[in-house]
Coordinates of all heavy atoms in Angstrom, one line a residue:
R32 N 0.0 7.8 2.0 CA -0.5 9.1 1.5 C 0.0 10.2 2.4 O 0.2 10.0 3.6 CB -2.1 9.1 1.5 CG -2.7 8.2 0.5 CD -4.2 8.3 0.5 NE -4.8 7.6 -0.6 CZ -5.0 8.0 -1.8 NH1 -4.7 9.3 -2.1 NH2 -5.6 7.3 -2.7
L57 N 17.5 9.5 -7.3 CA 18.7 9.6 -8.0 C 18.5 9.4 -9.5 O 19.2 10.1 -10.4 CB 19.7 8.5 -7.5 CG 20.1 8.7 -6.0 CD1 21.1 7.5 -5.6 CD2 20.8 10.0 -5.9
V65 N 23.0 13.7 -17.8 CA 23.3 12.7 -18.8 C 23.0 13.3 -20.2 O 23.8 13.1 -21.2 CB 22.7 11.4 -18.6 CG1 21.2 11.4 -19.0 CG2 23.4 10.3 -19.3
P85 N 28.4 24.1 -37.3 CA 28.5 24.1 -35.9 C 27.6 25.2 -35.2 O 27.0 25.0 -34.1 CB 29.9 24.4 -35.6 CG 30.6 23.8 -36.7 CD 29.8 24.1 -37.9
L91 N 21.4 22.7 -30.2 CA 21.0 21.5 -29.5 C 21.5 21.6 -28.0 O 20.8 21.1 -27.1 CB 21.7 20.3 -30.1 CG 21.1 19.9 -31.5 CD1 22.0 18.9 -32.2 CD2 19.7 19.4 -31.4
L97 N 18.2 26.6 -22.1 CA 17.0 27.6 -22.1 C 15.8 26.9 -21.4 O 15.2 27.5 -20.5 CB 16.7 28.1 -23.5 CG 17.7 29.1 -24.1 CD1 17.4 29.2 -25.6 CD2 17.6 30.4 -23.4
V101 N 14.3 27.9 -17.5 CA 12.9 28.3 -17.3 C 12.1 27.3 -16.6 O 11.3 27.6 -15.6 CB 12.2 28.7 -18.6 CG1 10.7 29.0 -18.5 CG2 12.9 29.8 -19.3
G114 N 2.5 18.6 -5.0 CA 3.2 17.4 -4.5 C 4.2 16.9 -5.6 O 4.1 17.0 -6.8
I143 N 15.9 19.9 -32.4 CA 16.0 21.0 -31.4 C 14.7 21.0 -30.5 O 14.8 21.2 -29.3 CB 16.3 22.3 -32.1 CG1 17.7 22.3 -32.7 CG2 16.1 23.5 -31.1 CD1 18.0 23.5 -33.6
L149 N 13.0 17.7 -23.8 CA 13.9 17.1 -22.8 C 14.2 18.0 -21.6 O 14.2 17.6 -20.5 CB 15.2 16.7 -23.5 CG 15.3 15.2 -24.1 CD1 16.6 15.1 -24.8 CD2 15.1 14.2 -23.0
S166 N 10.1 16.9 3.2 CA 8.9 16.2 3.7 C 9.4 15.0 4.7 O 8.7 14.8 5.7 CB 8.1 15.6 2.6 OG 7.5 16.6 1.8
V193 N 30.9 10.6 -16.9 CA 30.8 9.4 -17.8 C 29.9 9.7 -19.0 O 29.9 8.9 -20.0 CB 30.3 8.2 -17.1 CG1 31.2 7.9 -15.9 CG2 28.9 8.3 -16.7
A220 N 12.3 3.4 -16.4 CA 12.8 3.1 -15.1 C 12.3 4.1 -14.0 O 11.9 3.7 -12.9 CB 14.3 3.0 -15.1
R238 N -5.8 26.4 -4.6 CA -5.2 27.6 -5.1 C -5.0 27.6 -6.5 O -4.7 26.6 -7.1 CB -4.0 28.0 -4.3 CG -2.9 26.8 -4.2 CD -1.8 27.1 -3.2 NE -1.0 26.0 -3.0 CZ 0.0 26.0 -2.1 NH1 0.3 27.1 -1.4 NH2 0.7 24.9 -1.9
G244 N 2.3 35.3 -14.0 CA 3.6 35.5 -13.4 C 4.6 34.5 -14.0 O 5.8 34.9 -14.3
A249 N 9.2 33.6 -17.6 CA 9.8 33.0 -18.8 C 10.3 33.9 -19.8 O 11.4 33.8 -20.4 CB 8.8 32.0 -19.4
L257 N 19.0 34.7 -24.3 CA 19.3 34.8 -25.7 C 20.3 35.9 -26.0 O 21.2 35.8 -26.8 CB 18.0 35.1 -26.5 CG 17.0 33.9 -26.6 CD1 15.7 34.4 -27.2 CD2 17.6 32.8 -27.5
H266 N 21.4 43.2 -31.1 CA 20.4 42.5 -30.3 C 20.0 43.4 -29.1 O 19.6 42.9 -28.0 CB 20.9 41.2 -29.8 CG 21.0 40.2 -30.8 ND1 21.8 39.0 -30.7 CD2 20.5 40.1 -32.1 CE1 21.7 38.3 -31.8 NE2 21.0 38.9 -32.7
V271 N 16.3 45.1 -23.4 CA 15.2 46.0 -23.1 C 13.9 45.2 -22.9 O 13.2 45.5 -21.9 CB 15.0 46.9 -24.4 CG1 13.7 47.7 -24.2 CG2 16.2 47.9 -24.5
A276 N 10.0 43.0 -19.1 CA 9.4 41.8 -18.5 C 9.6 41.7 -17.0 O 8.7 41.3 -16.2 CB 9.9 40.5 -19.2
G279 N 7.2 44.2 -15.3 CA 5.9 43.6 -15.3 C 5.8 42.4 -14.3 O 4.8 42.3 -13.6
T315 N 29.8 30.6 -13.1 CA 30.4 31.3 -14.2 C 31.9 30.9 -14.4 O 32.4 30.7 -15.4 CB 30.2 32.8 -14.0 OG1 28.8 33.1 -13.9 CG2 30.9 33.6 -15.1
G358 N 30.8 15.4 2.1 CA 29.3 15.5 1.9 C 28.5 15.4 3.2 O 27.5 16.1 3.4
A369 N 36.8 27.8 1.8 CA 37.8 27.0 1.2 C 37.7 26.9 -0.3 O 38.7 27.1 -1.1 CB 37.8 25.6 1.8
V399 N 43.3 21.4 -9.1 CA 43.0 22.4 -8.1 C 41.6 23.0 -8.2 O 40.9 23.2 -7.3 CB 44.1 23.6 -8.2 CG1 43.7 24.8 -7.4 CG2 45.5 23.1 -7.8
Y436 N 22.6 27.8 -14.7 CA 22.6 27.9 -16.1 C 22.9 29.3 -16.6 O 23.5 29.5 -17.7 CB 21.3 27.4 -16.7 CG 21.1 25.9 -16.4 CD1 20.1 25.4 -15.7 CD2 22.0 25.0 -17.0 CE1 19.9 24.0 -15.5 CE2 21.9 23.6 -16.7 CZ 20.8 23.2 -16.0 OH 20.7 21.8 -15.8
G461 N 43.4 36.3 -20.5 CA 42.4 37.3 -20.3 C 41.2 36.6 -19.6 O 40.6 37.2 -18.7
L478 N 33.3 35.8 3.1 CA 34.2 36.1 4.2 C 33.5 36.8 5.4 O 33.6 36.4 6.5 CB 35.4 36.9 3.8 CG 36.6 36.9 4.7 CD1 37.1 35.5 5.0 CD2 37.8 37.7 4.1

Side-chain angles (χ1 to χ4, degrees):
R32 290 183 174 272
L57 293 183
V65 77
L91 293 168
L97 288 168
V101 173
I143 292 172
L149 271 175
S166 297
V193 303
R238 48 189 170 183
L257 287 171
H266 290 164
V271 172
T315 299
V399 170
Y436 292 120
L478 198 58

